[in-house]
């Protein structure tokens, strides 16, 4: 993917984020995710059904990287089983942290493949998955 | 003006618009600190040799300089601290913890800095005092009417920033103090943002406690001041015990403390900080606060005028008096704007500026903040405006 393409995907997800909004029905688990050093701050709402992520919503104020990655990743995770979701999250973390990862598993989220070059923005790119990881970990226990 | 006094300004083409966070330091402040280490390093109040006597003298001279700078009645009303945060904590936990009781009310605003909010929250947990908010008027300022509307016969403390760090509004301290004292309320003033930009005279304003930091007034970090009226300071319980603050102690546990202010400065103090503070006050006095204030206000008006002409900029404080401007580029998160401006070496602050309750006041929690100082120029503002004008490119630049 070239840079123009990446930028277009990021901006599209920033201007029209998927899954943004506070859910209007019950049954969601809510968690807040924020970056202590910067100012991103979102609430994440997850609806689980048996072992599956049925829906995700989020609301809050955050930067272009945090909002777009929340949009892209939340969209990828809806419909997945908890185990599948955790696998995607693990691969995404590894990509951001320059570890080994399976590119094919990450789809649009590959737009952040160079994020490791900007250490200060890693926390923005992981705002969503750090939050949702906590919810999924709790479910497993 | 006076840019030549700052190595950092001479040596780089950085545009420094984050003076609300900390100011740059003139060479004279650096030199005063170096001189202490190069020529007369020693502890204070301990040695009978020349350097120690000299430094002890300079240390106490600084107290007098601070006293005059803020118009206090006596230099024993000046306590050196680490900064505004420590001063405000000492006021809350050293004084009010022992002078308030359950149900007593403390008035602040939603615009206060964390250091003027959290100590009161903790006090509320600890002893059951109640923290209440003075409603802000439509310019997000404190009016006397609004203050009076929330005073009850249980109100014991009003604690306000002189100038807020979010929108830079300047509160009428003298008038507020009069209202407080008419109701037997003690008035605490957080002067962190105002001390280098606005004229302060604690005697004329009649404030009970005042707090500020050296690093926001062209001085070093790690040094600040707590002012308290003598009768109040006398009643303040030290939060630290150790050397330099006790007169006598015996094996059986008997302690006799020194007088104020020494008893409130346990341990070896930040001597280089005090000497740096002394120099920055001299520096400000040399230029003159009146001149600084007039210049900064004219810069601020210039900036607001220019920003107003950009229809994609939302300004949050068009009319407030201080040297701070808060704005956002429409559709762009403040941090992204800050990262974009940094590409042009323009330093601004993005965020909620430690005043996390402002979300309930503006429609957004986070803004871009330009906080001006006398060394900023119209040319720097023109550069900012130009970069903002080109901000259509922001995503190409930061993504
Ligand atoms: C209004 C206000 N109060 C208090 C403080 C805290 O000052 P310090 O961090 O120097 O203790 C600040 C600093 O940002 C401030 O702007």
């Amino acid at each position: 993917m070239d840079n123009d393409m990446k930028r277009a995907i990021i901006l599209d997800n920033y201007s029209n984020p998927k899954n943004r909004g506070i859910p209007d029905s019950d049954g969601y688990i809510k968690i807040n995710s924020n970056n202590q050093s910067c100012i991103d701050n979102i609430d994440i709402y997850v609806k689980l059904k048996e072992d599956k992520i049925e829906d995700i919503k989020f609301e809050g104020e955050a930067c272009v990287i945090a909002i777009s990655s929340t949009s892209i990743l939340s969209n990828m995770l809806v419909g997945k089983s908890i185990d599948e979701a955790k696998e995607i999250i693990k691969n995404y973390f590894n990509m951001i942290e320059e570890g080994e990862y399976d590119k094919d598993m990450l789809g649009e989220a590959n737009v952040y493949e160079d994020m490791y070059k900007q250490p200060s923005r890693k926390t923005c790119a992981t705002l969503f998955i750090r939050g949702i990881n906590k919810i999924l970990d709790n479910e497993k226990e | 003006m006076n840019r030549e006094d700052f190595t950092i300004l001479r040596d780089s083409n950085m545009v420094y618009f984050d003076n609300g966070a900390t100011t740059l330091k003139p060479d004279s402040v650096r030199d005063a600190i170096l001189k202490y280490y190069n020529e007369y390093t020693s502890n204070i109040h301990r040695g009978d040799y020349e350097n120690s006597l000299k430094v002890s003298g300079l240390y106490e001279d600084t107290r007098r300089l601070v006293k005059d700078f803020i118009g206090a009645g006596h230099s024993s009303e000046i306590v050196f601290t680490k900064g505004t945060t420590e001063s405000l904590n000492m006021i809350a936990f050293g004084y009010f913890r022992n002078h308030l009781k359950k149900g007593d009310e403390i008035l602040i605003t939603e615009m206060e800095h964390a250091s003027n909010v959290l100590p009161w929250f903790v006090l509320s947990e600890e002893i059951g005092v109640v923290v209440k908010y003075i409603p802000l008027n439509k310019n997000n300022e404190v009016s006397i009417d609004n203050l009076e509307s929330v005073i009850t016969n249980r109100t014991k403390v009003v604690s306000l920033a002189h100038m807020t760090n979010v929108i830079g509004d300047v509160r009428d301290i003298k008038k507020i103090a009069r209202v407080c004292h008419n109701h037997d309320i003690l008035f605490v003033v957080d002067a962190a943002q105002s001390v280098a930009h606005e004229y302060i005279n604690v005697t004329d304003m009649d404030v009970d406690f005042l707090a500020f930091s050296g690093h926001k007034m062209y001085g070093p970090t790690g040094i600040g001041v707590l002012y308290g009226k003598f009768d109040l300071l006398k009643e303040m319980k030290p939060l630290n015990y150790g050397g330099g603050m006790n007169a006598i102690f015996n094996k059986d546990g008997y302690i006799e403390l020194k007088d104020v202010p020494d008893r409130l400065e346990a341990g070896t103090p930040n001597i280089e900080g005090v000497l740096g503070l002394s120099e920055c006050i001299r520096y400000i006095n040399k230029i003159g606060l009146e001149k600084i204030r007039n210049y900064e206000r004219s810069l601020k008006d210039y900036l607001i005028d220019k920003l107003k002409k950009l229809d994609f900029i939302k300004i949050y404080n068009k009319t407030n008096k201080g040297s701070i401007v808060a704005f956002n580029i429409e559709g762009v998160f403040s941090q992204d704007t800050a990262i974009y401006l940094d590409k042009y070496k323009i330093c601004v602050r993005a965020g909620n500026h430690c005043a996390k309750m402002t979300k309930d006041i503006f429609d957004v929690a986070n803004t871009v903040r330009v906080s001006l100082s006398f060394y900023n120029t119209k040319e720097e503002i023109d550069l900012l405006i130009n970069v903002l004008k080109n901000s259509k490119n922001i995503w190409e630049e930061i993504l």
Side-chain angles (χ1 to χ4, degrees):
Chain A
M1 237 189 291
D2 69 7
N3 273 342
D4 286 345
M5 183 73 180
K6 283 184 191 162
R7 191 180 300 130
I9 293 173
I10 290 174
L11 284 178
D12 186 39
N13 280 281
Y14 177 62
S15 320
N16 302 297
K18 301 178 186 88
N19 303 316
R20 188 170 198 160
I22 297 171
D24 46 19
S25 60
D26 294 341
Y28 286 80
I29 307 166
K30 177 181 168 185
I31 194 163
N32 176 269
S33 188
N34 58 62
N35 284 337
Q36 279 165 13
S37 56
C38 33
I39 50 187
D40 299 325
N41 191 332
I42 59 169
D43 289 327
I44 300 167
Y45 304 84
V46 182
K47 190 172 195 170
L48 299 169
K49 195 165 182 194
E50 280 139 33
D51 204 26
K52 218 165 147 187
I53 299 177
E54 195 170 82
D55 194 22
I56 302 177
K57 290 259 178 282
F58 78 96
E59 193 49 271
E61 277 188 45
C63 70
V64 64
I65 300 293
I67 295 284
S68 60
S69 60
T70 302
S71 165
I72 290 171
L73 289 160
S74 61
N75 214 38
M76 281 171 67
L77 297 188
V78 171
K80 299 283 191 299
S81 73
I82 291 181
D83 285 335
E84 287 166 339
K86 289 188 84 87
E87 199 53 32
I88 292 173
I89 290 170
K90 195 177 94 195
N91 273 278
Y92 182 80
F93 258 124
N94 283 349
M95 175 179 79
I96 299 291
E97 292 300 338
E98 274 187 283
E100 301 253 322
Y101 67 98
D102 180 357
K103 216 169 156 56
D104 294 339
M105 202 179 251
L106 292 181
E108 272 198 339
N110 280 302
V111 296
Y112 305 107
E113 64 188 357
D114 291 333
M115 208 44 61
Y116 66 90
K117 292 181 188 159
Q118 298 181 60
S120 64
R121 303 213 91 177
K122 281 187 193 170
T123 49
C124 313
T126 54
L127 185 70
F128 170 71
I129 53 169
R130 279 182 283 127
I132 196 157
N133 229 1
K134 280 192 201 137
I135 295 181
L136 300 182
D137 280 347
N138 282 343
E139 276 316 298
K140 282 270 136 183
E141 273 159 20
Chain B
M1 53 196 200
N2 290 70
R3 291 174 70 83
E4 64 282 4
D5 299 339
F6 295 77
T7 297
I8 196 168
L9 290 174
R10 290 196 308 270
D11 289 0
S12 86
N13 53 358
M14 153 186 90
V15 174
Y16 191 73
F17 282 152
D18 198 14
N19 295 287
T22 196
T23 55
L24 306 178
K25 323 300 172 195
D27 296 351
S28 61
V29 166
R30 173 204 62 199
D31 292 343
I33 295 168
L34 269 185
K35 210 168 157 134
Y36 166 60
Y37 289 119
N38 287 341
E39 295 177 26
Y40 35 78
T41 302
S42 52
N43 212 327
I44 56 162
H45 306 325
R46 314 251 162 116
D48 289 313
Y49 50 93
E50 190 184 335
N51 279 353
S52 176
L53 294 171
K54 179 181 170 86
V55 174
S56 304
L58 293 174
Y59 188 90
E60 293 306 323
D61 287 348
T62 307
R63 222 188 279 284
R64 281 187 285 277
L65 198 62
V66 172
K67 174 206 95 168
D68 292 337
F69 187 68
I70 62 167
H74 202 275
S75 55
S76 56
E77 295 174 320
I78 306 298
V79 183
F80 293 122
T81 66
K82 284 197 295 205
T84 311
T85 302
E86 185 172 54
S87 302
L88 290 171
N89 275 273
M90 284 167 71
I91 293 166
F93 300 116
Y95 185 83
F96 285 109
R97 188 195 263 148
N98 310 306
H99 290 83
L100 295 179
K101 54 183 192 309
K102 192 169 159 77
D104 285 347
E105 293 172 2
I106 294 161
L107 293 178
I108 59 173
T109 72
E110 290 174 39
M111 206 58 100
E112 301 310 308
H113 187 273
S115 58
N116 187 26
V117 177
L118 303 193
W120 304 119
F121 282 180
V122 174
L123 216 52
S124 160
E125 279 275 295
E126 284 184 359
I127 61 172
V129 295
V130 182
V131 177
K132 290 185 157 186
Y133 300 95
I134 304 167
L136 300 170
N137 70 15
K138 66 178 191 317
N139 289 335
N140 295 314
E141 294 180 346
V142 173
S143 73
I144 296 295
D145 285 348
N146 284 353
L147 168 62
E148 283 185 321
S149 75
V150 282
I151 290 178
T152 71
N153 56 9
R154 312 203 72 168
T155 311
K156 293 288 155 40
V157 187
V158 170
S159 188
L160 297 175
H162 184 187
M163 186 204 273
T164 68
N165 63 323
V166 184
I167 58 166
D169 55 319
V170 181
R171 274 93 180 242
D172 191 335
I173 297 301
K174 190 168 171 172
K175 265 197 198 149
I176 296 172
R178 202 172 308 140
V179 172
C180 289
H181 295 147
N182 283 342
H183 292 87
D184 281 328
I185 296 167
L186 289 177
F187 185 26
V188 178
V189 176
D190 164 4
Q193 285 297 331
S194 60
V195 67
H197 307 276
E198 296 290 322
Y199 180 70
I200 293 173
N201 184 304
V202 289
T203 306
D204 179 52
M205 290 169 159
D206 199 17
V207 308
D208 298 299
F209 289 106
L210 182 103
F212 59 91
S213 303
H215 72 94
K216 293 185 203 283
M217 56 188 300
Y218 313 102
T221 53
I223 186 70
V225 168
L226 159 66
Y227 159 82
K229 283 183 180 161
F230 187 74
D231 291 340
L232 299 173
L233 275 192
K234 240 177 29 193
E235 296 294 317
M236 187 179 259
K237 207 168 149 50
L239 301 180
N240 293 312
Y241 291 81
M245 53 88 74
N246 67 78
I248 312 171
F249 61 95
N250 294 331
K251 197 166 145 186
D252 62 4
Y254 174 79
I255 313 176
E256 207 169 288
L257 299 181
K258 283 192 184 164
D259 286 334
V260 165
D262 295 345
R263 70 163 70 160
L264 299 169
E265 293 179 2
T268 299
N270 181 357
I271 300 172
E272 64 159 89
V274 169
L275 300 184
L277 181 70
S278 159
E279 193 49 46
C280 74
I281 291 175
R282 258 185 232 111
Y283 182 78
I284 292 173
N285 284 339
K286 203 173 74 193
I287 303 179
L289 257 182
E290 186 71 21
K291 195 167 154 194
I292 290 176
R293 191 178 116 141
N294 291 340
Y295 178 77
E296 288 173 353
R297 293 247 168 123
S298 69
L299 267 189
K300 146 104 187 264
D301 292 344
Y302 183 77
L303 173 57
I304 294 265
D305 271 356
K306 294 259 168 171
L307 280 177
K308 269 189 193 161
K309 297 199 177 99
L310 306 180
D311 58 4
F312 53 90
I313 298 283
K314 181 169 169 62
I315 309 172
Y316 295 93
N317 61 338
K318 282 186 197 148
T319 56
N320 304 116
K321 276 195 239 146
S323 46
I324 287 175
V325 179
F327 68 92
N328 272 319
I329 302 177
E330 242 162 51
V332 180
F333 188 59
S334 59
Q335 194 181 20
D336 293 322
T337 305
I339 290 170
Y340 169 64
L341 294 177
D342 180 48
K343 303 258 171 209
Y344 297 87
K345 291 188 154 247
I346 300 174
C347 314
V348 297
R349 177 81 176 269
N352 50 40
H353 319 302
C354 292
K356 302 217 175 186
M357 299 184 289
T358 50
K359 187 157 45 198
D360 304 331
I361 305 174
F362 306 137
D363 52 348
V364 293
N366 299 296
T367 58
V368 179
R369 181 184 75 181
V370 169
S371 44
L372 298 163
S373 162
F374 61 80
Y375 41 65
N376 292 126
T377 63
K378 286 191 174 165
E379 290 71 34
E380 290 178 324
I381 289 174
D382 291 341
L383 176 71
L384 170 72
I385 296 293
N386 264 332
V387 173
L388 287 174
K389 272 185 186 156
N390 289 327
S391 61
K392 288 181 290 303
N393 299 329
I394 183 166
W395 307 118
E396 281 78 32
E397 303 236 0
I398 72 168
L399 287 177

